[in-house]
Every structure is written in C-alpha cells, then in structure tokens.
Amino acid sequence: MNINEFAVLVAKKEGGKKQVNIAQIKEILRIVNKEVRGELYKMIRSIVDLSHRKPRG
C-alpha cells in the first residue's frame, strides 16, 4: 500500500454524504508528514508492512 492507496482508504472510512477529494487528503497527509519530519509516512509504511506479513507457524 502506498500513500495513494492510504488516501483512498481514508476517503472510504470517512464515508460522509459528500465525496472526499483524494487529492485533498493526499495534500493534507503531505503537509502533516512535512510538519512531523517524515514520521507520518514512516508510520503508515510500517503499519502496512506489519499487516502484510505472513503468520508464523
């Protein structure tokens, strides 16, 4: 999952009556990521990586 896919996921979860613009979500994510010195994108990637790991056993 990349940032585009994450933005789509956020839009779907929002689920309001008015459609949320994916570009607006991506811009907000970009701004927040810049303000937290790149940590947001790192966190999104680590969460995604954990969710795609195969179970042990």
Side-chain angles (χ1 to χ4, degrees):
M1 179 182 294
N2 60 30
I3 299 305
N4 289 335
E5 293 168 335
F6 187 76
V8 170
L9 178 65
V10 169
K12 287 179 183 177
K13 296 279 184 173
E14 190 275 335
K17 291 183 180 181
K18 184 177 179 183
Q19 184 177 3
V20 179
N21 186 323
I22 302 300
Q24 291 173 327
I25 294 172
K26 286 173 53 179
E27 181 65 11
I28 292 167
L29 290 173
R30 185 190 66 76
I31 291 166
V32 171
N33 187 61
K34 183 177 179 181
E35 290 300 313
V36 297
R37 297 183 173 104
E39 293 300 316
L40 179 64
Y41 287 2
K42 288 178 188 175
M43 185 173 57
I44 291 170
R45 287 184 188 109
S46 66
I47 290 169
V48 170
D49 288 346
L50 288 174
S51 69
H52 285 106
R53 285 187 182 174
K54 294 181 181 179
R56 292 181 180 181

